[in-house]
Amino acid sequence: TAAELREDTGTNQRDSMVKFAPLSVPWERRMQTFVVLQWVFCFLALGKICIVVFIGLLFTRFWIFSILYATWLYLDRDKPWQGGRRIEAVRRWVIWKYMKDYFPVSVSNGAGWGAARTVVPHMSVGKCGPVCSEQNTGLGGRSRASTTMWPGEESSFCLAMTVELDPSRNYLAGFHPHGILAAGAFTNLCTESTGFSSLFPGIRPHLMMLNLWFWTPFFRDYIMSGGLVSADKESAAHILNRKGGGSLLAIIVGGSQEALNARPGDYRLLLRNRKGFIRLALMHGAALVPIFSFGENDLFDQVDNSPGSWLRWTQNRLQKIMRVSLPLFHGRGVFQYSFGLMPYRQPITTVVGTPIEVQKTPRPSQEEVDRLHQRYMKELSNLFEAHKLKYNVPKEGLPQRAGLALGRIEGGAVIPEGFAEVSVEHISKAFDDSCVSDPCQAPSHNWQHGRGGQTLAS
């Protein structure tokens, strides 16, 4: 039945009692679930387990292994700040293909105001399985695509390319939004499951992560193998100054603080005063690339933590102390679709915007930083507006003037600046040139679209 084909898309299950998975689920989809389960486990628990194992071995007859690793950790301590240690074999593990197909995840390069690829799915059941057709709506340029569609999925996997990145240049990319677990950033930039290297030949992607994880024994080597590097100015300078170019350094600008806003239909970004990455781009002459991941916030529900609530106050306090946020999220389970820590099967489409040329300025003034920051926000807004109706932001129910604007919050009240479909939340500590990502807090650039196309109140 149609309900069985859509058994785990996360739409019907949220509003019903416990709904168990049928026994007839194909092995392909079981493998997808298992791979995503291990990824969630690694994200949430593997680092802590590695610390416990490292310390525990010291009190056993295998203590020598901890001593040897501690020696290695000391000798290798600077590696996360020197470009990390990418291992292509790990990035190309077959398990990442199953993870990509779980949602599914895709990456698209859309140039300008809408040169993109629109996927028009249709089902054709036979020995060869389902197929998916596609329509190129871009204007000029070269494109490559790969599609896969399975019964019960509302979208299809499609890779499209309309503009190339010059492999002789280095790029600094701002990735938005963070979401709960940053699934889109990891899948597209830390694995080859979506064919990033095929879309952008000669470009080596790196993704910044909190420094503390690179002091975690064993775990640090695992995350570096995918291309993760330390979120530090020294690390950024090493990558952006590589001779010969071909490096793309991605920063999830909103950081872990932005995860507290992640819920279906809500696109609030911590951006307005986060200017450290802008200063980095100017200092190293790296072109700025805005990246928006549609569907990232649809993977989990989150307990209501509106600004001013005791829960949000507690989360903000813990984030300042621990340097990581603690969103109370939930999704589906492994054998049922009603609750658990597994993400919903919702499509993620990561759109790579057109690079913004940046003139190298070793000592940029605040005025130059502000000017480029305003341009970046405008380009990111244009990217969102050009693609929002194609990727999971429904047209039905949106206001006639479905644009973006900025606002600020004072005393809990939203004060709009221009057309207020969006708002900006003020947080005291600005993102300055002393930090690059997660630990810093800043005002937010807020896009909100409710479920079914209704605009959410701030």
Side-chain angles (χ1 to χ4, degrees), residues 121-182:
H122 71 270
M123 298 298 298
S124 175
V125 180
K127 289 185 178 181
C128 297
V131 296
C132 175
S133 66
E134 58 186 25
Q135 176 182 351
N136 189 348
T137 59
L139 300 178
R142 193 175 66 179
S143 64
R144 303 187 187 99
S146 173
T147 59
T148 304
M149 190 168 184
W150 299 94
E153 294 174 348
E154 294 183 344
S155 183
S156 61
F157 165 68
C158 180
L159 293 180
M161 176 176 166
T162 55
V163 175
E164 293 183 343
L165 295 182
D166 184 357
S168 66
R169 301 280 307 278
N170 290 322
Y171 299 90
L172 180 62
F175 195 99
H176 313 269
H178 183 286
I180 296 293
L181 300 183

Side-chain angles (χ1 to χ4, degrees), residues 1-8 12-13 19:
T1 65
E4 290 173 336
L5 290 178
R6 301 175 58 207
E7 80 274 10
D8 52 357
N12 297 333
Q13 293 77 4
K19 183 177 178 64

Side-chain angles (χ1 to χ4, degrees), residues 11 92 100 214 262:
T11 53
R92 297 179 185 275
K100 177 262 298 181
F214 294 97

Side-chain angles (χ1 to χ4, degrees), residues 170-172 235-242 247 249 280-281 284 286:
N170 290 322
Y171 299 90
L172 180 62
S235 176
H238 182 88
I239 294 173
L240 297 178
N241 287 331
R242 278 179 177 166
S247 294
L249 178 63
L280 278 174
H284 302 288

Side-chain angles (χ1 to χ4, degrees), residues 17-18 44 66 70 94 105 142 145 159-160 173 194 198 216 241 261 279 296 325 367 380 388 423 427:
M17 299 299 291
V18 177
L44 298 178
S66 290
V94 68
V105 180
R142 193 175 66 179
L159 293 180
T194 59
S198 298
T216 305
N241 287 331
N261 295 327
R279 189 178 296 274
E296 185 71 48
S325 64
E367 181 182 355
L380 182 62
K388 66 182 181 182
S423 64
I427 301 176

Side-chain angles (χ1 to χ4, degrees), residues 15 19 87 128 144 234 251 258 344 407 421 446:
D15 301 323
K19 183 177 178 64
I87 301 177
C128 297
R144 303 187 187 99
E234 179 185 347
I251 302 175
E258 193 173 78
Y344 297 120
E421 183 187 346
N446 175 355

